[in-house]
Amino acid sequence: MGQTPAQKAAKAARGQQPKKRPGKAQREAIKRAQAAKKKAGGGKPAAKKTAAKKAVPLPRGSVRAAYPGTCPACFKDYAKGEVITKVTEGWGHPGCAPRQMSAAEREFARNKARIESGETFRGQKPSDWRLGSSPSSTRPAR
């Protein structure tokens, strides 16, 4: 943000010197030094190779296995540290767990079952359309 000459004068009167931006040559020298430092691997010390694993966020409801075990759904073993989740009778592979349906999927399944059982949705009454006719040529309501 720029300062007005009055603000600069007030700052100088308080004993604070306005910061001067380094010149073009200085900026280029700083950039070269930073690039050389980055290229040489300077800066933060590198972490050990064993602890270099990045923490990947786990899916909701999943944990890393504290000890090896067997999946109760597929009876295959899982190793310590492998991602596991709650399955029907304990803990096992995430792929072995039953998939949770969303609210829209549950409603769709419910409606599909109602249609397949013969129900209709307008007041649970049968349609009075005649096969091959338009709605205007229906028989009169009873």
Side-chain angles (χ1 to χ4, degrees):
M1 295 248 170
Q3 295 179 339
T4 63
Q7 288 174 331
K8 287 181 183 179
K11 209 174 201 184
R14 288 192 306 256
Q16 297 174 345
Q17 294 296 325
K19 283 189 177 180
K20 290 187 177 180
R21 188 170 174 211
K24 186 175 181 181
Q26 285 179 315
R27 286 195 307 266
E28 288 175 1
I30 291 170
K31 283 183 184 179
R32 279 194 304 271
Q34 288 173 343
K37 190 176 183 182
K38 194 181 284 187
K39 191 174 186 181
K44 295 182 183 177
K48 291 184 179 179
K49 292 275 183 184
T50 56
K53 285 184 179 178
K54 291 192 176 188
V56 177
L58 298 174
R60 190 179 187 109
S62 296
V63 295
R64 294 211 179 267
Y67 48 86
T70 305
C71 175
C74 67
F75 301 108
K76 291 183 182 176
D77 295 333
Y78 57 84
K80 178 182 176 181
E82 195 172 321
V83 177
I84 56 173
T85 189
K86 196 80 164 153
V87 293
T88 52
E89 301 142 13
W91 291 86
H93 302 111
C96 298
R99 193 175 77 76
Q100 298 293 321
M101 287 197 302
S102 68
E105 289 172 321
R106 283 193 302 271
E107 184 181 357
F108 176 82
R110 205 170 27 249
N111 289 342
K112 184 177 177 184
R114 288 177 66 191
I115 290 169
E116 288 174 347
S117 70
E119 291 183 40
T120 59
F121 287 91
R122 288 224 181 246
Q124 311 303 326
K125 65 179 182 180
S127 173
D128 46 345
W129 278 31
R130 290 185 180 172
L131 187 62
S133 302
S134 68
S136 62
S137 63
T138 58
R139 58 193 129 131
R142 296 176 215 159

